[in-house]
Amino acid sequence: MISRLAWIATLVTGLFMVAQYFIKTDATNAVYTTLLDYYQIIFAVSMIVGGIGLLKQHSLKVQRSSQQRRYSLITIAAILFMVIAAVIFGTGAASPYQWAFNNLQAPMQATTFSLLAFFVASAAYRGFRVKSAPAFVLALAAVIVLVGKSGFGEMVSQQLPAIAGWVLNNPSTAAKRGILIGVGIGSVATALRVILGIERSYR
Amino acid sequence: MFDPASLVLLIWVLLTCGVVAYFSYRRRVSRLRLRAIPGIAAIEEAVGRATEQGKPIVFTTGWGGDIQRPTTLAALNLLRFVAGKAASYGCRILFPTHDPVIAEAAKEIIQTAYNEAGHPDQFREDDVTFVSPSQFGYASGVDGIVSRQKPGAIFLFGTFEGEALILAETGNINGALQIAGTDSTIQLSFFIVACDYTLIGEELYTASAYLTDDRRVQSSMYAQDLIRAVVVALLLLLPILAMFGVNLYKEIM
């Protein structure tokens, strides 16, 4: 019974969301805005549930006195600090919350992001090992684009930047568009299967 | 009211929906031969390998999508199969995510899988983790889980952005068998070089049809292929017509 109700709610909401995209009236806009508001409410509540779950999980790790307890202690301290600092001092430009964001969180995020440079190098090394004819084409295209798009490209050949541009604008774009056409049709079909209850991850 | 500029889009949506719904409900396709996709065939092997090694599996849907995104829905449909296999083999499944709504949906799916497999006691609620809504906080959290738990298999299905290669390379360094699938064309190249198997674009949407015996789901995949064939035919036909002065591209596409 609950499963049927869930499916009816999915069906009605799904069909409405498709219809409101094409038919704009005051009534459909109002219902659409209300549904988005409800999603925000669900998101906010689940964020609280997620935050509490995170604290609970790390508290258990601290109690179990595992080797990683120090990481859990840091996580708990960081979560509590940010919440308490935001509640007491607000989130203004000169607040401790903003200071922690600018001086702790942002540099840590930048550090993680910078790992990409090393991971790109190691992945490229594996990916460009020529073991077959398609791998040779991949490696050749990569070398042309890498060298052609760098300042070094013109030094090698005046034609190389133009060839690199052709590789990006023609074969690469054609392949991307082929994938995107499939993705677009697949998205509609998946959404329809969910709306009609043909495929559902709930019971 | 109705914007006439949206008419072509509306016709395409109705056509796609109509064909998919028709084939799904009529189950017209009685003898469907599915093209082998190695990444999908490897899903069961990956869960079995992790079970034999006594290691958990990690399943994550990426930072780029929320629950409304079709890619996330397709990934959650796949989670149902992966969790079902993991539950029947007695393999632990870890699900870190950046979105608390996805976490709740995943919790429900994994718990149902363990219940259906007859092992409700093996479901651990804290294996489904809301890590962080921040992109690189999420990437660090998942990397931490992978580095500490050393999973036997990692499933990266969903919408990924800059964190894709960070996750895939960490999994690779830790020796996990990795299967990825995404609609993000930029991240696909990273997955192809860093993962053992990659589902490209729409293969992610059709994966569940391969893993189910439900004729309706399989028939809908046939309908998807049919629509795609029509689009490809139009893409070939319209430039030829344009050469003869009949320019219908804007009207149809």
Side-chain angles (χ1 to χ4, degrees), chain A residues 61-147:
Chain A
K61 279 186 183 169
V62 171
Q63 283 169 19
R64 283 180 201 146
S65 67
S66 63
Q67 283 186 329
Q68 284 93 34
R69 70 186 302 178
R70 58 183 180 273
Y71 303 124
S72 295
L73 278 170
I74 293 169
T75 306
I76 292 169
I79 294 171
L80 293 178
F81 172 78
M82 292 301 263
V83 172
I84 293 167
V87 169
I88 296 175
F89 301 104
T91 56
S95 65
Y97 173 91
Q98 202 59 42
W99 181 89
F101 184 84
N102 291 335
N103 296 288
L104 296 171
Q105 193 172 337
M108 283 191 290
Q109 289 188 352
T111 305
T112 311
F113 184 55
S114 64
L115 286 174
L116 261 179
F118 303 100
F119 284 148
V120 165
S122 63
Y125 174 73
R126 272 200 317 280
F128 297 155
R129 276 180 296 187
V130 179
K131 290 178 178 172
S132 59
F136 173 73
V137 175
L138 179 75
L140 184 68
V143 169
I144 290 170
V145 173
L146 272 174
V147 179

Side-chain angles (χ1 to χ4, degrees), chain B residues 88-135:
Chain B
S88 62
Y89 292 168
C91 184
R92 191 176 162 205
I93 179 165
L94 308 171
F95 187 96
T97 179
H98 72 290
D99 187 314
V101 181
I102 294 176
E104 289 307 309
K107 210 175 277 182
E108 181 77 24
I109 292 166
I110 296 172
Q111 189 168 21
T112 306
Y114 276 98
N115 289 344
E116 286 179 351
H119 306 297
D121 52 306
Q122 285 183 12
F123 171 69
R124 293 166 61 166
E125 200 170 318
D126 56 356
D127 281 348
V128 181
T129 330
F130 161 60
V131 182
S132 165
S134 136
Q135 182 179 20

Side-chain angles (χ1 to χ4, degrees), chain A residues 18 21-25 39 42-43 46-47 49-51 54 57 60-61 64 68 105 109 112-113 116 119-120 122-123 126-127 176 179-183 185-190 192-194 196-201 203, chain B residues 1-2 6 9-10 16-17 20 24-25 66-68 70 77 80 99-101 104 109 112 116 126 129-131 133-134 136 140 148 162 165-166 169 172-173 183 193-194 200-202 205 208 216-217 220 224 227-228 235:
Chain A
V18 176
Y21 182 84
F22 294 102
I23 302 163
K24 306 277 185 198
T25 64
Y39 178 74
I42 292 167
F43 184 83
S46 58
M47 191 67 122
V49 173
L54 203 61
Q57 193 183 354
L60 281 172
K61 279 186 183 169
R64 283 180 201 146
Q68 284 93 34
Q105 193 172 337
Q109 289 188 352
T112 311
F113 184 55
L116 261 179
F119 284 148
V120 165
S122 63
R126 272 200 317 280
K176 270 187 198 173
I179 292 171
L180 289 174
I181 287 170
V183 166
I185 297 167
S187 297
V188 174
T190 302
L192 192 71
R193 286 200 294 263
V194 172
L196 297 177
I198 294 168
E199 192 172 36
R200 46 184 160 171
S201 46
R203 288 277 188 270
Chain B
M1 279 302 286
F2 181 74
S6 309
L9 181 63
L10 177 65
T16 309
C17 291
V20 171
S24 299
Y25 280 107
D66 55 17
I67 195 83
Q68 304 171 57
N77 284 332
R80 188 156 59 94
D99 187 314
V101 181
E104 289 307 309
I109 292 166
T112 306
E116 286 179 351
D126 56 356
T129 330
F130 161 60
V131 182
S134 136
F136 293 106
S140 306
R148 287 190 295 273
L165 190 61
I166 296 174
E169 275 296 285
N172 194 295
I173 290 164
D183 61 341
V193 293
I200 298 171
E202 64 169 332
Y205 298 110
S208 55
R216 289 186 304 172
V217 179
S220 74
Q224 263 175 257
I227 296 287
R228 193 174 47 172
L235 285 174

